[in-house]
Amino acid sequence: MKTTIYPVFLVLLFLFSCTKENNPVYLSDSFSVYPDRVVQDSFVAKAISPYEMISDYQSTEFQKCDPTVIFKFSINSHDNELPYGKDHLVTLKPVNGIVETQVEFGKQIVEKSDDVAYENLPENTKWHIKLDMRKVFEAFDNDGFYALYNGDILTKTDFKAVYIVGSAAPLSWDFSNLYTRRDMELTDDDGDGIYEITLLMNSKKDLKHISSKWKLNKDISELPAYTSDYVLSDAIYNMSLEEMLMAIEPDSTFRTGKEWAGVWTRDISYSIILSMAYMQPKVAQYSLMRKVKNDRIIQDTGTGGAYPVSTDRIIWAVAAWELYKATGDKNWLTYAYKVIKNTIEDDIQNAFDPETGLLRGESSFLDWREQTYPQWMQPSDIYQSENLGTNAAHFQANVVATQMAELLNDTENAKRFRLQAEIIKTGINKHLWQKDKNYHGQYLYGRSNMMLSPRAEALGEALTILFGINTGEQAVRTIANFPVTPFGISCIYPQIPGIPPYHNNAIWPFVQSYWALAAAKTGNEKALMAQLAAIYRASAFFLTNKENYVAETGDFAGTQVNSSVMLWSLSGNLALVHRVLFGIELQPDKLVFHPFVPEALKGKRTLTNFKYRSAELSIEMEGYGNVIKKFYLNGKESLPEIPANLSGNIDVKIVLSNKITGNSSINMVPVRFAPSTPVLQKNEKYLTWNRVDNAVNYSVYKNGILFHKDSINSFTIDSNSTGEYQVLATDKFNNSSFLSAPLTTGNSKIIYSLKNKRVITSSDKGASVNEFYRVSRYNPVNLTIKADITESGLYAIKILYANGNGPVNTDSKCAFRAFYVNDKKLGTFVFPQRGTDEWKNKGCSNVLKVMLSKGQQQFAIVWEPFNENMHGDVNEANLYELILEKM
């Protein structure tokens, strides 16, 4: 009898195994995920075992090279040749492998061909470009300056170099980093005013490659081991463990990525919050300590010289708290609290907006300004913006400071931090929430009048849910309504036209991991499974934890920069197992479990050798869902938690109820681009703007309030009208462009020379207008002005300045000073860097709105101890004018 049943059993087992492997756990129009593989079109990535994967994925980015190139020129790494949306366009038609193009700076050329003979550019085409700069240099000699299209003045002494940017490799649209790319610099070797460069187009050296095979090489036996019925997820987990070891430097700090050396505040912080606090506590501690100076958190990157244009350094506080929860180290708690307390106090002085209750500063992690801000916004405008993700980080930092203060018996400061957290939370939900969309907007932006950008921002929204800013049914609706694209959740939605993929039109796996955590918290199985599948797809096809990939195509090769072995990506991959599937949550005095296993991933799984303080956990789990049916601790039924004082080997068994509570819906949408930003002009009694492609109507705003809506691109205004106007374009999908640059008409102005401390009149010319007052770290003398105000009311006040201490996009020498009116501090003026050694490049600070009474008022620009920037020694700017504009 046994001889007849046994073969049948084997056949049934074999058939069951084959059926299981052939049933997808996730199926979409774009790709499918199976227990052992990922399939997309003809590409397949497969897990041979938990320790080996293969992939035949090939990037589609370079399979065909479009011979039509869009490009521009740039002086001194600025986008200053042609207006936004106006570019050169040339179809390259090589003769004997060579193309020559002649262009005059500032004069657009369009030479496009639709000839089918030129549909694909031959490999290794040499493109020789001649740029006529003679009119620029003639203007230097005749007028003393060259007037750029945007009204900026360029002098001969400020001219450093001219570069080319564009749409096809080796070109890129990264204006801000051109000064580091000598291979994109045009030169005038014979001094005739014609600058030249030869580029090699469609070169194989520009191809980006990935491995076709991954096989475990490092010893991961001391790390938490994961097994399940899904070999693909097991292999991806093990690959992430191996890459975690690869991301530890010899000095026991984290490396940000294979292509990103060094320790970066936000990168390590987001990684530590995800999983590195408990996976690598010592490395996490050393890395966090590396980002402290003068008992304050270092803002190591950001637009215009970092702090306070960028203020998201504060996410360090959340990571420090996560590390304390993992270790219970009281010495670390004391140290971290001091650093966090000092940093919060400085941020309140330098960046807090009492009108909204929000903190100013650049978008957290989205710090490449062209990728997420309109091009008219200067670094000072970005400082003035109030961003969702950055404010979520500030909120949680104050929550953390409250909890730390309570543990350390600092009750007075605990009350203060708790109140500040509530103020920020209220500000976020009052000023950034969009009731019609069921999620928050991206940021408040503008100059004299701040308005909300309605774009969705994935990381910031995920943080609002995880940190308890967006709660209950509102959070449930957010996860269900937030736009998700076929290959994952894009950083922002909709995308910005004309900007190449990096943060724009891109998906970052670590952001997907945060979104997966938020989806799990709200009980949304469909949203959770979509992110798990998208992360598995990218990890399996690319056989590494990539930094990002293109939202439209899912391809790793089309973004401006992309690293393998990316710390926060691998940290997120590990968090999917530990914090989503097993639902592990660190608390100050215990570890608790909130597992969420989608039905498609049901079955048995184990997590062994998981270290928690003095304990080593071995966890078994079976079933699916987000409700625990039974929880066993060392064989005894228990609450789903591990007290912090337990030690030794701990056995945990979790039985899930095979039930899922929560709304399971998702807003899956195609990748779409918003209309371009209109360019607004005043022409006699008309406001006019360019027609925007795909726009169906335009909205005109006056002083931040909707004033007029129409389908035509002009609007009649009273010749005596005063106010600040902006316009935005909307398409048929109700996606909006950015607001145009503010245009002020008719407002009365008073301009004071900061050198001479007097009003500048129409008779002042030449040197008297160009004189400045130099403020520096070592010239702490307060600059005071007594002003005669002839009319009471609200004034917009700003300062015309120059700061040539560094590039627009990075470094650490942003200058800033406190501003007092009649001895009362009313805000901070920020003077970001505008270009290395570009001391003639003037721009305006942020705007402060101040109520002034008629009569004499005393203004003071003051250096305070909390005005320390990230450099420390160099905190200087040339201040030209104090401008008062009646609102």
Side-chain angles (χ1 to χ4, degrees), residues 284 322 442 557 682:
E322 200 70 16
Q442 184 181 16
K682 184 175 183 294

Side-chain angles (χ1 to χ4, degrees), residues 680-695:
L680 182 62
Q681 302 176 75
K682 184 175 183 294
N683 183 9
E684 296 181 354
K685 60 181 181 179
Y686 295 98
L687 291 177
T688 62
W689 53 91
N690 57 305
R691 288 193 175 275
V692 175
D693 290 345
N694 302 317

